[in-house]
Amino acid sequence: MKMAKETLQTLMANPRALLFLEPVDWKALGIPDYPEIIKSPMDFSTCMKKLEAHVYKDETEFCADMRLIFTNAKTYNQLGSHVYTLAEALSTQFERIWRRRSRAQLAQEKEELERVAEKRSLPTTAAAGSIISDKAQRTQKRKKYRTAWPLV
């Protein structure tokens, strides 16, 4: 979940993320219909608290909450509005960062697996050759002792 925390911190540092840092205070903003329209509110600070409390089982749950933030903003606000535009921009930034970090993590895991495979005592080509030649010799001995039974 280190990758999730780093991604969230990067987004929170973006000046455009100001409106998404804390839960929407719909009473103070005078938007009483907000809880009727947005059934599952989400924001960056709630995501960070869930990360720190180890609530997320995996990164898929984290991504779902991040996408929920932007979906909520685009659901409640009209297309072309300031909040809608910010949500689109941050959503694009999140997806770009997440893809890049996911690729980097996959590459790192692949390298780690290759290092583990190298550490194991895998036969070298010379050793593998001797194993194969031993097997071939045993097979030839078996063939030598087989006799062709005459059909009577």
Side-chain angles (χ1 to χ4, degrees):
M1 298 303 277
K2 179 182 175 187
M3 187 173 88
K5 191 169 185 175
E6 290 172 356
T7 302
L8 182 55
Q9 288 171 335
T10 301
L11 285 172
M12 291 175 84
N14 186 328
R16 293 184 276 184
L18 189 62
L19 296 175
F20 303 95
L21 294 177
E22 297 294 325
V24 173
D25 187 357
W26 55 272
K27 290 179 183 175
L29 293 170
I31 47 175
D33 62 341
Y34 186 81
E36 295 170 15
I37 296 170
I38 304 301
K39 301 296 181 193
S40 301
M42 187 54 60
D43 61 278
F44 290 162
S45 66
T46 304
C47 281
M48 185 60 81
K49 288 174 189 169
K50 289 172 87 173
L51 273 171
E52 290 170 349
H54 306 286
V55 173
Y56 295 119
K57 293 177 188 165
D58 56 25
E59 292 167 340
T60 306
E61 289 184 2
F62 166 75
C63 286
D65 273 356
M66 291 299 292
R67 291 178 180 122
L68 179 62
I69 295 168
F70 309 123
T71 302
N72 285 348
K74 292 190 281 186
T75 299
Y76 190 80
N77 297 281
Q78 290 183 331
L79 176 67
S81 69
H82 179 65
V83 176
Y84 191 100
T85 305
L86 290 175
E88 288 234 309
L90 288 169
S91 176
T92 302
Q93 182 183 8
F94 168 72
E95 296 299 341
R96 190 174 350 103
I97 292 169
W98 192 255
R99 249 189 326 272
R100 190 177 327 123
R101 289 197 173 154
S102 294
R103 282 189 208 128
Q105 185 178 13
L106 285 173
Q108 184 180 10
E109 288 172 2
K110 183 180 176 185
E111 288 174 13
E112 193 173 312
L113 286 172
E114 288 172 353
R115 272 187 255 122
V116 168
E118 287 175 8
K119 286 182 182 178
R120 290 185 180 163
S121 58
L122 297 176
T124 61
T125 52
S130 67
I131 292 169
I132 292 169
S133 65
D134 289 344
K135 186 175 180 180
Q137 288 174 1
R138 286 192 307 268
T139 304
Q140 286 178 354
K141 283 182 183 177
R142 273 190 242 124
K143 286 181 181 177
K144 182 180 173 183
Y145 292 110
R146 288 185 192 154
T147 56
W149 297 96
L151 295 173
V152 181

